[in-house]
Amino acid sequence: MLVADDTTRNQLTATSSNAVQAHTIVGGVHFTTPPSAPPALPVPRQLPADTAHFNDRENYLKSLGNWLDTTAPVAPTMIVGIGGVGKTSLATHWAHQVRDSFPDGDLYLDLRGYHADEAVTAEDALEQILRSLDVPGERIPVGTEPRAALYRSLVHGKRMLVLLDNAATPQQVRPLLPGSSSCRVLITSRSRLTGLATREGAQRMALDVLPPVRAVEVLARIVGESRIAAEPDAAAELARDCGYLPLALRIVGGRLAASESLSLTEFAQELHQERLDALTDDEDPSAAVRVVFSLSYRTLPADAARLFRLLGVVPGADIGLDAVSALAALTPMATRRLLETLVNAHLLREDTPRRYRFHDLLRVYAAERASEDSERVEALRRLLTWYTHVADAAARMFTPSFTRIALDLAETPAPLPIFTDRADALHWCDLERANLVASVTQAERAGELAQAWQLPVAMFGAFLARRPFNDWVDTHLVALRAARACGEKAALAWLHTSIALAYRGLRDYATALEHFELARAGWRELGEGWAEAWALRDTGDVQHRLGDVTAAVATLTEALAMHVAEGDAFGEATALRLLGEAQHSLGDHDAALANLERSLEIRRQQGDQRNIAIVYAAMSAIHNSKNDPTRALDHATRALPLAEALDDWHTEARAHDALGDALSQLGKPDSAREHWEAALLLLEKLADPDADTLERKLSA
């Protein structure tokens, strides 16, 4: 209260930060409080604890550092990859390193996008954020858009880091983007979040598994260097069976650290046998590898989940788009769409265009899911049928004139590739050989015995072209068991003939002769003269290789007569060449050249460029022996471009070898050496035992 009197005495009955003293005041007195400054936002520090045992992410950390240092407005960065690969670990580790760069704080939200019943919606996530920024509950608006608008207003101009972990969809993330260029947003996801990349320009950083050496280092950090050093091979095996996946490595390391009496070798055996069962943590069941994978699987649409299960029956390490179409009985377009869904979810990889593969542990998980699907048997049958159809079509490009036994195949479940030429068919076989070999074993294991013998028969042309002798033998041993169980006499005779050729290539001549004898008996019983002549003809070639040249000439002469009687021009041309090569060894050069000329004539009529090149190389060798290296060089020079055009490595090696021999005799050792070296490289590429002949020439 102010009092004005003769003594001019003022009395204040309240407190004030500012006071004005006056003598006489006329009128009312009003006090107002100046508006206060808005309260400062709290500085949230929400990052989870940094990750121990962090390893081999230097390049990723450098990329994130460059992203942070960019002064221009930047889009969010997404760290994406398979479950358990360490996305959260990388994000939190980097965030801790750069925390001081964000004076206004860091926000962290686990969006739990792959927990179907617990996923955090954008609206709920915004409520968490706003409460972190001290917005009272009664002031938080209802609805995603109003909350997002308030959030953007509050953080505008702030220097903050927003870490959104385990996001599943762009819709879950988009409202959480601050809209301020001063903030940085880091997102982790098992999905590729293509929508964010397309609309918001988000940068994608794909995180892969660890390199083998670094994977072992992770184990060493947990288990101890001394235990790893004591059993290095077992440590490497453990890392490999973990698929180099950081989560699996940490589980294995934890179990070993908790049981010091357990050797790495013992646990490696357990892991190899139990795989996903061994990759569990009793104290944290939710961190088990199977559980982590299941979270991704359960979020798939039904049709994509079906394809994931069916891919669990695939025998090989990878598979092409056309083969997946056959497996799933879908059109290529529908198949491609579902494969993209699996790739986007990081449940499948597309390392090369139109070819797909699982991570090793995901393959195990997919096989578990496949075992629960009644369609798995029919799906495998469809895939095996398609592979056999394509392998047979390819073989007809390699050996169009070769007589073959009939295959009793169901209709192809998907279109076959169209091979434009022999090289095109050979390329497909090179690409698929490991899958075809694995399919034979899978067919026997699944009880698909007809497929187990028919597929190796169809693969004969590819085996003849590329000469993978070990695969050849392995598949045919399976096929022989299957054909015997099915009572397929023609298949048994064919397979004995074919496997004998593989043993011949391996220089196991005794075993080759045993199978040729079984084949001849089988063909004779069946009354197949052309095929008996085939087995007899190649028996003569083995006799030649064993040094019994006189017997070889007699055997080959008999086989030649049988081929002529059967009207088998292809077999006749082959017998003529082998007979000419044996006569060459006897020194009967004129007879040898006459037979080779007749063989060449037949091959030209058939348009068989591969065998034309082989005959040219054989004729070159004879002219060299006749001391006519000029003509030898001419024939070898004709052979080489034919073989090169066909991408036929063995025939190409024969041509280079013949060129080297001719040039050596012409007194051009340097040029000869170049061709011998080229031949050696090709034979080494084929792992062909004949490489030692070239090595001797080069070392002389």
Side-chain angles (χ1 to χ4, degrees):
M1 182 178 66
L2 297 176
V3 179
D5 57 18
D6 294 341
T7 61
T8 316
R9 179 171 56 88
N10 296 333
Q11 181 180 359
L12 296 176
T13 59
T15 59
S16 175
S17 57
N18 296 291
V20 177
Q21 181 172 315
H23 183 262
T24 301
I25 299 175
V26 178
V29 179
H30 304 279
F31 291 92
T32 59
T33 303
S36 60
L41 288 178
V43 179
R45 293 298 183 188
Q46 298 181 345
L47 293 179
D50 200 355
T51 306
H53 316 305
F54 192 83
N55 203 0
D56 190 60
R57 298 307 194 210
E58 290 83 359
N59 289 336
Y60 297 101
L61 292 171
K62 183 178 179 180
S63 295
L64 288 170
N66 293 336
W67 171 65
L68 175 62
D69 293 339
T70 302
T71 56
V74 293
T77 285
M78 306 180 296
I79 302 175
V80 299
I82 180 177
V85 79
K87 301 179 294 296
T88 300
S89 298
L90 172 62
T92 55
H93 182 76
W94 176 79
H96 275 281
Q97 287 186 327
V98 300
R99 206 169 200 177
D100 292 343
S101 299
F102 298 98
D104 295 314
D106 44 70
L107 296 169
Y108 171 83
L109 286 97
D110 183 355
L111 298 176
R112 302 180 66 80
Y114 297 90
H115 293 71
D117 301 327
E118 304 175 30
V120 180
T121 66
E123 184 175 358
D124 290 343
L126 285 164
E127 180 177 358
Q128 292 183 39
I129 292 175
L130 292 172
R131 289 185 182 276
S132 310
L133 299 176
D134 268 5
V135 178
E138 64 273 14
R139 289 188 53 202
I140 296 177
V142 176
T144 301
E145 285 306 316
R147 289 179 177 183
L150 177 57
Y151 160 57
R152 291 193 295 269
S153 297
L154 289 173
V155 301
H156 179 73
K158 302 294 183 183
R159 180 73 171 170
M160 299 185 74
L161 173 66
V162 181
L163 175 50
L164 305 176
D165 200 11
N166 289 314
T169 66
Q171 293 75 19
Q172 195 181 24
V173 170
R174 193 168 280 126
L176 311 182
L177 301 179
S180 175
S181 61
S182 58
C183 294
R184 290 286 191 273
V185 180
L186 186 59
I187 304 161
T188 75
S189 180
R190 301 181 192 186
S191 301
R192 297 171 72 184
L193 300 179
T194 303
L196 288 180
T198 303
R199 283 183 50 182
E200 280 73 26
Q203 305 172 46
R204 187 183 295 120
M205 179 183 294
L207 194 59
D208 206 348
V209 297
L210 296 172
V213 173
R214 292 301 187 93
V216 173
E217 289 176 2
V218 169
L219 289 177
R221 290 187 182 185
I222 304 172
V223 177
E225 296 280 356
S226 59
R227 289 179 71 181
I228 298 297
E231 299 180 85
D233 292 341
E237 184 179 352
L238 282 170
R240 183 172 60 251
D241 282 347
C242 284
Y244 310 113
L245 188 70
L247 173 61
L249 292 165
R250 289 197 296 270
I251 292 173
V252 167
R255 291 189 60 182
L256 286 167
S259 181
E260 295 186 4
S261 62
L262 181 64
S263 73
L264 271 64
T265 300
E266 291 172 332
F267 192 70
Q269 293 172 350
E270 177 185 337
L271 177 57
H272 188 70
Q273 293 171 358
E274 298 186 3
R275 300 308 295 271
L276 297 184
D277 286 338
L279 294 174
T280 59
D281 186 339
D282 294 338
E283 295 183 358
D284 186 7
S286 64
V289 170
R290 183 185 286 111
V291 173
V292 170
F293 289 165
S294 71
L295 294 176
S296 297
Y297 169 71
R298 290 196 314 231
T299 62
L300 291 172
D303 51 359
R306 168 186 176 262
L307 183 58
F308 179 83
R309 293 191 300 274
L310 296 185
L311 287 168
V313 308
V314 171
D318 71 346
I319 187 168
L321 173 62
D322 292 342
V324 182
S325 295
L327 173 79
L330 295 170
T331 65
M333 184 178 298
T335 304
R336 177 75 181 187
R337 176 178 57 80
L338 294 177
L339 288 168
E340 287 178 355
T341 299
L342 296 179
V343 170
N344 286 337
H346 285 94
L347 289 171
L348 200 64
R349 299 178 59 158
E350 186 180 9
D351 291 335
T352 56
R354 300 166 66 91
R355 295 201 69 81
Y356 304 87
R357 67 171 57 240
F358 280 124
H359 177 273
D360 288 348
L361 294 180
L362 268 172
R363 184 184 308 283
V364 176
Y365 180 74
E368 290 183 355
R369 301 285 70 77
S371 68
E372 303 164 356
D373 193 325
S374 59
E375 193 186 353
R376 68 187 183 280
V377 175
E378 184 56 36
L380 177 62
R381 189 175 295 133
R382 288 192 296 260
L383 179 63
L384 294 172
T385 299
W386 187 83
Y387 272 147
T388 308
H389 271 290
V390 184
D392 186 55
R396 294 178 188 278
M397 294 295 295
F398 301 141
T399 51
S401 304
F402 193 87
T403 309
R404 47 180 47 84
I405 62 172
L407 300 177
D408 184 17
L409 295 173
E411 184 179 350
T412 177
L416 304 182
I418 299 173
F419 300 125
T420 56
D421 53 26
R422 183 180 185 278
D424 190 28
L426 190 56
H427 174 71
W428 183 88
C429 290
D430 288 341
L431 201 60
E432 296 288 357
R433 190 178 84 203
N435 292 332
L436 297 176
V437 171
S439 293
V440 174
T441 303
Q442 180 83 329
E444 182 185 36
R445 188 181 300 123
E448 299 290 333
L449 299 184
Q451 302 283 11
W453 73 257
Q454 290 188 94
L455 183 52
V457 169
M459 293 166 66
F460 173 76
F463 285 145
L464 197 63
R466 283 292 188 248
R467 302 161 65 89
F469 297 124
N470 291 323
D471 287 345
W472 195 337
V473 168
D474 290 344
T475 56
H476 279 51
L477 290 176
V478 173
L480 283 167
R481 291 194 296 268
R484 197 172 292 116
C486 293
E488 293 285 349
K489 292 183 178 180
L492 279 171
W494 175 284
L495 292 162
H496 278 304
T497 312
S498 181
I499 199 173
L501 297 177
Y503 281 118
R504 180 188 68 180
L506 289 168
R507 298 183 180 177
D508 185 349
Y509 298 130
T511 305
L513 289 173
E514 289 175 9
H515 282 284
F516 278 136
E517 189 59 36
L518 290 168
R520 288 176 61 196
W523 292 126
R524 192 179 304 117
E525 180 183 350
L526 292 166
E528 296 287 356
W530 69 271
E532 185 181 354
W534 173 25
L536 182 64
R537 177 190 77 213
D538 287 307
T539 297
D541 183 52
V542 172
Q543 291 171 333
H544 181 195
R545 291 166 185 251
L546 286 169
D548 192 354
V549 186
T550 301
V553 168
T555 301
L556 288 164
T557 300
E558 181 184 355
L560 175 60
M562 293 177 68
H563 280 304
V564 172
E566 289 288 327
D568 178 10
F570 185 94
E572 178 187 353
T574 304
L576 284 165
R577 175 178 62 79
L578 293 175
L579 178 58
E581 290 175 344
Q583 290 167 330
H584 175 206
S585 294
L586 285 176
D588 191 352
H589 298 152
D590 291 339
L593 283 172
N595 283 322
L596 288 172
E597 288 286 359
R598 172 59 184 150
S599 177
L600 184 62
E601 180 183 351
I602 296 172
R603 296 306 191 195
R604 283 172 171 162
Q605 291 171 356
Q606 295 172 337
D608 190 338
Q609 300 301 305
R610 170 180 173 271
N611 275 301
I612 290 173
I614 292 173
V615 173
Y616 275 140
M619 294 174 76
S620 174
I622 295 172
H623 284 298
N624 233 20
S625 296
K626 291 181 68 175
N627 293 318
D628 190 354
T630 300
R631 294 193 69 184
L633 182 65
D634 176 62
H635 282 82
T637 301
R638 295 182 186 185
L640 184 58
L642 294 176
E644 289 176 332
L646 295 170
D647 195 27
D648 189 301
W649 302 336
H650 190 263
T651 305
E652 190 178 342
R654 290 184 65 158
H656 276 297
D657 186 21
L659 279 166
D661 290 346
L663 289 165
S664 177
Q665 195 159 329
L666 285 167
K668 299 179 178 180
D670 292 340
S671 298
R673 186 175 187 84
E674 288 179 9
H675 284 285
W676 286 335
E677 287 174 345
L680 179 60
L681 284 174
L682 289 163
L683 293 181
E684 288 177 340
K685 190 176 180 180
L686 290 164
D688 194 305
D690 290 343
D692 61 2
T693 303
L694 274 302
E695 290 172 348
R696 285 193 295 270
K697 289 182 181 181
L698 288 166
S699 62

